[in-house]
Amino acid sequence: KQEVTQIPAALSVPEGENLVLNCSFTDSAIYNLQWFRQDPGKGLTSLLLIQSSQREQTSGRLNASLDKSSGRSTLYIAASQPGDSATYLCAVESSGYALNFGKGTSLLVTP
Amino acid sequence: DVKVTQSSRYLVKRTGEKVFLECVQDMDHENMFWYRQDPGLGLRLIYFSYDVKMKEKGDIPEGYSVSREKKERFSLILESASTNQTSMYLCASSYPLRVGTAGANVLTFGAGSRLTVL
C-alpha cells in the first residue's frame, strides 16, 4: 500500500523567506503527484500536478519537483507571504483512480 | 471553472440517524470520490465511482454506502450514524489528462461538509 509522508508537520517562517516542503512516497510506480493547499475549514485547492514523466512544474512563486526513483517531491515557495499560510498536502496517484494523501504541512508565514 | 458543490457545509445529527451527504459536479467528470479528513489521520478514501452506477470501496468503507444514479451526482450515505463518524467529509471529481486512461487524474474538491454526530 502506498504510504505518503510529509515533513515537517508544521513550519513557521517570517515573511519574505524562501521555503521547501517535503513529500516522500514508498512506491515509485505512480501516475502523478499533486500538491494541494487547504485553508482552515475549507476544501482543497490543487496547486500543481506533476505527471510521472515530468521532473518539475512551476506556477508563479511555486515550483514542485519530482524524483520518482527516490520517492521524493519538494514544493518550493519563493518570497513567502502571510497569504501563503495554509496547510499544504501532497498526494500521489498510483492505483489508477484514487489519490493517497500525506497528512500535510501546516505553514504559518508571519509578517 | 469546474465546480464541485456539497449540499451541506455543517450538519448535526443524532446517533442512529440516517444521513445523506450530497455532491454535485458540473463538468461531466467521470470519476467522483468521497474522503473523510480527521486531525492526525489526514484524508482517507471512503468510496469512489468511475461511472454511473459503478462504485468501488476505498480504504475505510465500513459504515458507509454510496449512490451514483446520475453522472453529476455522488451521494454518501451513513445508514446509522455513530459518534466515530464525526468528521469533515470531502467530495472530489476528476478527469484524466489523457482521455480514456486511468492515470493522471486531476482532482477538484468541494468545500467540505462538517458532520457532527451526537
Side-chain angles (χ1 to χ4, degrees):
Chain A
K1 185 179 181 291
Q2 180 74 269
E3 299 288 340
V4 181
T5 304
Q6 291 186 245
I7 294 172
L11 183 63
S12 180
V13 300
E15 182 177 6
E17 272 203 12
N18 302 323
L19 57 101
V20 174
L21 308 181
N22 296 292
C23 172
S24 62
F25 47 95
T26 54
D27 184 351
S28 62
I30 66 171
Y31 288 107
N32 68 54
L33 183 143
Q34 280 186 250
W35 282 94
F36 293 87
R37 169 187 172 134
Q38 185 176 31
D39 293 291
K42 303 283 180 64
L44 280 68
T45 301
S46 181
L47 297 173
L48 290 164
L49 178 145
I50 310 176
Q51 296 186 57
S52 61
S53 58
Q54 298 174 325
R55 297 282 293 181
E56 65 178 334
Q57 282 286 336
T58 298
S59 176
R61 294 183 293 108
L62 305 180
N63 175 274
S65 67
L66 174 64
D67 184 342
K68 250 186 22 167
S69 61
S70 67
R72 294 177 190 275
S73 175
T74 60
L75 178 67
Y76 175 82
I77 303 177
S80 58
Q81 303 170 358
D84 295 330
S85 298
T87 297
Y88 291 81
L89 294 118
C90 162
V92 298
E93 181 184 354
S94 50
S95 65
Y97 290 106
L99 271 62
N100 292 104
F101 284 82
K103 293 179 182 178
T105 294
S106 177
L107 172 66
L108 175 65
V109 181
T110 56
Chain B
D1 277 352
V2 176
K3 203 164 183 182
V4 178
T5 302
Q6 294 184 231
S7 55
S8 303
R9 287 283 285 128
Y10 300 95
L11 301 96
V12 179
K13 299 291 182 181
R14 296 209 173 272
T15 301
E17 280 192 71
K18 191 169 186 175
V19 181
F20 293 87
L21 300 180
E22 305 285 343
C23 176
V24 178
Q25 49 97 359
D26 65 0
M27 280 299 290
D28 203 35
H29 283 181
E30 296 167 351
N31 308 320
M32 296 188 75
F33 308 83
W34 276 106
Y35 287 87
R36 66 177 280 178
Q37 185 177 31
D38 301 286
L41 296 177
L43 272 83
R44 294 178 290 167
L45 180 65
I46 305 171
Y47 269 97
F48 67 97
S49 167
Y50 53 88
D51 202 351
V52 175
K53 297 193 185 295
M54 304 301 290
K55 60 185 179 184
E56 293 286 341
K57 292 180 180 179
D59 298 321
I60 51 163
E62 297 79 17
Y64 303 95
S65 62
V66 290
S67 171
R68 193 161 180 206
E69 296 297 318
K70 294 184 177 181
K71 193 173 186 179
E72 67 270 18
R73 187 181 298 270
F74 191 36
S75 302
L76 180 69
I77 303 157
L78 288 67
E79 294 288 343
S80 178
S82 62
T83 55
N84 63 12
Q85 293 177 310
T86 292
S87 186
M88 169 71 98
Y89 290 88
L90 293 164
C91 175
S93 70
S94 78
Y95 65 92
L97 289 178
R98 294 177 297 281
V99 175
T101 63
N105 282 279
V106 181
L107 254 66
T108 300
F109 278 85
S113 297
R114 183 164 294 282
L115 172 66
T116 301
V117 183
L118 302 176

